[in-house]
Amino acid sequence: MARANILQRVSPLGLGLAISGVLIAALLVSETVLDRWSGLIQEGPLDPFARRSEGLLRDLRLAVVHCLLAGYLPAAFLYVLRSGRRTVYALQDALACTEEECHELAESIRFTRRGLLIAGLIGAAFSFVTPYLVPPVPESLWNPTTWSAEVAWHRILGPIVGWWLAWLVYAIFSVSKRLSKLASRLSSVDLFDIKPLAPFTQQGLTNALLAIGLLSLSSLFLIETGMGVVATLVGVITLFVAGAALVMPVRGVQQRIRQEKKSELGWIDAELRACRATLRESGEDRRVGSIADLAAYRGLVDRAAEWPFNTSTYLRFALYLLIPLGSWAAGALVERVVDRFLF
């Protein structure tokens, strides 16, 4: 209970900024204490048309990106959990549950220790493999005696980042799956009014944004040579997670809408058959109008969207996908400014 209260009080944004800020400050202090800046100045600026694949400046920038990821991932993990619980409270009217029942449903969104452990181990294993995809690969990759001061930050923070990366993916899928199951508890579904279902869609967009935020930071790796394979691999995984994160929370709702459509269409078809039979038997003209009304209503039901998405949803998701491009462009611009300032 105490741990849950702490999680409720901690701000995800504050947590991420604090972790990244402390790590970057420690990195800069260590560079100063070890007098690494003189080596950086002697190395000189990078040729923008012919980058070197090695160098202190490159390793320092990669260390900074690791620090940013080390702060972002725990913050995003905490935000997924918190936003999932807020979504349950936002659905209280649609779920027709009391405050106590709603609170119990919100508190049921949690992660198992086994799931976290397995996900963390997979992420750590992934982090141990990725350095082998970045040329040039040292002969003694994990021998601390061969690490420079900057590379030590990569090697130490890498497994931590991989662990939290897997935790974030696990959190997104776990929370999305739990919310999707809540659709079975909806008191009713109106085919022509999806506003009560908006919290499901908002959760999907939130999860997708958090995944794309990870891609935005990972795109900074593309500034450096040799990181193309790793950045592409992370990008493909992240885009898959972002797409799944958008769809999974509303999957249960989509199934409920489909069931409602099927039921409504079945009722309309039964009424149409009854009207047709009566018309054939009695020849009553007033039945013709009923058939026309039912046929028009059937068309409306058949055209009702099964996914609780609208144009705004697709537009926002498309704009989210542009964020990594802007992040990469901003990173490249900052790199040029820093080179010009230092050299």
Side-chain angles (χ1 to χ4, degrees):
M1 182 66 68
R3 182 173 60 181
N5 291 333
I6 292 175
L7 289 177
Q8 292 296 330
R9 290 196 299 266
V10 174
S11 167
L13 178 60
L15 176 65
L17 292 176
I19 294 175
S20 294
V22 169
L23 289 175
I24 292 176
L27 171 62
L28 297 179
V29 169
S30 67
E31 293 291 293
T32 302
V33 171
L34 297 175
D35 193 25
R36 301 291 292 177
W37 300 111
S38 60
L40 185 150
I41 299 299
Q42 292 174 4
E43 186 179 83
L46 294 175
D47 183 351
F49 299 103
R51 292 177 176 274
R52 291 190 297 274
S53 60
E54 298 182 78
L56 186 153
L57 186 58
R58 171 184 183 269
D59 291 338
L60 178 60
R61 283 194 293 255
L62 292 178
V64 171
V65 176
H66 278 80
C67 292
L68 294 175
L69 288 171
Y72 177 81
L73 291 170
F77 173 84
L78 179 58
Y79 193 81
V80 168
L81 175 61
R82 186 168 298 180
S83 64
R85 291 177 175 176
R86 280 204 304 263
T87 298
V88 175
Y89 289 112
L91 288 167
Q92 182 174 353
D93 293 337
L95 295 173
C97 58
T98 64
E99 291 186 6
E100 292 76 12
E101 292 172 338
C102 190
H103 179 71
E104 290 180 3
L105 288 174
E107 291 300 318
S108 68
I109 298 181
R110 57 171 61 94
F111 312 122
T112 64
R113 293 182 178 180
R114 180 183 178 185
L116 289 173
L117 178 60
I118 293 175
L121 292 176
I122 292 175
F126 176 78
S127 69
F128 277 102
V129 172
T130 50
Y132 291 97
L133 304 177
V134 182
V137 180
E139 293 183 1
S140 302
L141 185 64
W142 293 104
N143 183 359
T145 60
T146 64
W147 298 347
S148 66
E150 296 75 28
V151 171
W153 284 83
H154 309 171
R155 300 293 182 260
I156 295 173
L157 289 180
I160 298 175
V161 168
W163 187 283
W164 278 103
L165 171 60
W167 271 21
L168 176 60
V169 174
Y170 170 75
I172 289 176
F173 279 86
S174 180
V175 171
S176 298
K177 183 178 179 181
R178 178 60 181 161
L179 289 176
S180 179
K181 289 182 177 179
L182 286 181
S184 62
R185 299 175 59 100
L186 291 171
S187 57
S188 62
V189 174
D190 189 341
L191 295 177
F192 307 108
D193 182 15
I194 62 173
K195 289 182 180 179
L197 307 177
F200 288 102
T201 305
Q202 183 58 48
Q203 181 65 39
L205 286 170
T206 298
N207 290 346
L209 179 60
L210 292 173
I212 292 173
L214 168 63
L215 180 59
S216 298
L217 290 177
S218 301
S219 67
L220 297 176
F221 284 128
L222 288 174
I223 298 174
E224 309 300 339
T225 56
M227 297 298 297
V229 175
V230 173
T232 301
L233 181 61
V234 173
V236 171
I237 294 175
T238 305
L239 288 176
F240 169 78
V241 172
L246 175 66
V247 172
M248 284 189 64
V250 301
R251 178 60 177 165
V253 174
Q254 184 265 342
Q255 292 175 349
R256 281 292 306 273
I257 294 176
R258 176 178 291 182
Q259 293 173 1
E260 190 69 21
K261 282 185 65 174
K262 184 177 180 181
S263 175
E264 194 73 0
L265 289 172
W267 174 81
I268 296 172
D269 290 340
E271 289 293 312
L272 282 171
R273 286 192 295 269
C275 289
R276 183 183 61 181
T278 303
L279 179 62
R280 283 182 173 181
E281 293 175 0
S282 63
E284 296 180 6
D285 293 339
R286 55 191 177 88
R287 284 294 181 180
V288 176
S290 299
I291 291 176
D293 292 340
L294 286 170
Y297 179 57
R298 192 186 195 287
L300 288 176
V301 173
D302 192 48
R303 290 193 297 271
E306 292 187 1
W307 292 92
F309 297 150
N310 51 32
T311 304
S312 175
T313 303
Y314 296 114
L315 179 60
R316 288 175 63 181
F317 185 71
L319 291 176
Y320 290 167
L321 294 177
L322 296 178
I323 295 176
L325 180 61
S327 175
W328 174 82
L333 178 61
V334 170
E335 178 196 17
R336 293 290 176 263
V337 172
V338 171
D339 282 348
R340 182 177 295 274
F341 175 77
L342 289 178
F343 308 111

